[in-house]
Amino acid sequence: DGGITQSPKYLFRKEGQNVTLSCEQNLNHDAMYWYRQDPGQGLRLIYYSQIVNDFQKGDIAEGYSVSREKKESFPLTVTSAQKNPTAFYLCASSAGQGSSEQFFGPGTRLTVL
Amino acid sequence: DQQVKQNSPSLSVQEGRISILNCDYTNSMFDYFLWYKKYPAEGPTFLISISSIKDKNEDGRFTVFLNKSAKHLSLHIVPSQPGDSAVYFCAATPGGTSYGKLTFGQGTILTVHP
């Protein structure tokens, strides 16, 4: 059963701590993405990767870091430098070159206390 | 700078009637447009898309219209069903090497009343 897995569904952290959000896909997709959604706003692109071992900053990359060591995995680290980390984080993937249709995971709700 | 705008935060329609969701964009480089549907605390699911070389695309009850000169697209749902109640996002991309860079609108909450 192919899809995108994000874990955990809900995550709580203390201010000043780094936290890593997991994203795994078994769709054999080349490209993966991280978005952030805040109340009343659309999705904003944080980072994306079109191929293993390569990634690019999106529109709001400051305070975040990623890695793409495996095709199936694209973890996102929310660092203490992110001023307002509490948000709903969504991971997505797409088949790759020429394919704009993205498939999304269920999301992780991060709350920083 | 909001390049993709959905100016109606919410829309309420009666079951069986038509729902029309609107989206405007400012970036003339956008080449491909998509609509996504999202339930609370879930990821968006893809609905329908349209390339800039077309002005209409249909898939069952869903039709997307694109007016390039006006930089406007709309999603028509006919007939609307209570299960269509969700947040709808339009998204746009320049395509080419930037195929993955989707810019989303703020979303429109659709409520379909039985």
Side-chain angles (χ1 to χ4, degrees):
Chain A
D1 195 16
I4 301 176
T5 303
Q6 290 186 248
S7 60
K9 183 93 172 156
Y10 299 96
L11 192 54
F12 297 88
R13 281 294 182 269
K14 291 183 179 179
E15 194 172 345
Q17 289 182 333
N18 290 358
V19 59
T20 297
L21 280 59
S22 165
C23 178
E24 303 278 333
Q25 55 98 359
N26 61 5
L27 300 167
N28 199 33
H29 283 172
D30 288 322
M32 297 185 73
Y33 312 85
W34 274 105
Y35 292 90
R36 168 184 173 138
Q37 186 189 15
D38 294 284
Q41 295 195 36
L43 282 65
R44 293 184 290 167
L45 183 64
I46 303 172
Y47 267 98
Y48 65 105
S49 167
Q50 294 178 323
I51 197 168
V52 174
N53 292 322
D54 187 43
F55 49 82
Q56 287 79 38
K57 293 182 179 180
D59 301 316
I60 54 164
E62 186 175 350
Y64 300 98
S65 66
V66 293
S67 63
R68 187 87 188 277
E69 297 176 1
K70 298 187 299 182
K71 187 175 185 177
E72 305 79 25
S73 178
F74 191 40
L76 172 75
T77 297
V78 184
T79 74
S80 56
Q82 169 51 232
K83 301 298 181 195
N84 187 18
T86 293
F88 188 53
Y89 290 88
L90 287 156
C91 178
S93 69
S94 69
Q97 183 63 41
S99 175
S100 295
E101 182 183 332
Q102 295 180 15
F103 296 83
F104 284 82
T108 293
R109 176 73 189 176
L110 173 64
T111 302
V112 176
L113 307 170
Chain B
D1 178 26
Q2 193 83 33
Q3 296 187 60
V4 178
K5 293 184 182 180
Q6 295 176 255
N7 291 316
S8 298
S10 63
L11 175 68
S12 182
V13 300
Q14 208 68 31
E15 182 179 5
R17 306 294 291 268
I18 184 172
S19 296
I20 300 176
L21 298 109
N22 294 303
C23 181
D24 297 296
Y25 62 97
T26 57
N27 188 341
S28 58
M29 298 300 292
F30 286 148
D31 192 46
Y32 194 76
F33 304 87
L34 308 93
W35 284 95
Y36 281 85
K37 173 181 178 180
K38 185 182 180 301
Y39 294 113
E42 293 185 10
T45 54
F46 171 76
L47 270 178
I48 191 169
S49 62
I50 187 167
S51 164
S52 61
I53 62 173
K54 293 186 173 182
D55 55 17
K56 177 182 174 182
N57 189 27
E58 280 183 87
D59 185 1
R61 295 186 297 115
F62 302 92
T63 302
V64 57
F65 296 92
L66 175 63
N67 182 334
K68 281 191 68 178
S69 60
K71 293 190 176 66
H72 177 85
L73 65 155
S74 61
L75 175 68
H76 293 211
I77 307 174
V78 183
S80 300
Q81 300 172 353
D84 295 329
S85 297
V87 181
Y88 289 78
F89 291 98
C90 65
T93 175
T97 55
S98 298
Y99 64 88
K101 290 202 69 177
L102 294 184
T103 301
F104 283 82
Q106 312 95 305
T108 296
I109 301 170
L110 173 65
T111 304
V112 180
H113 299 282

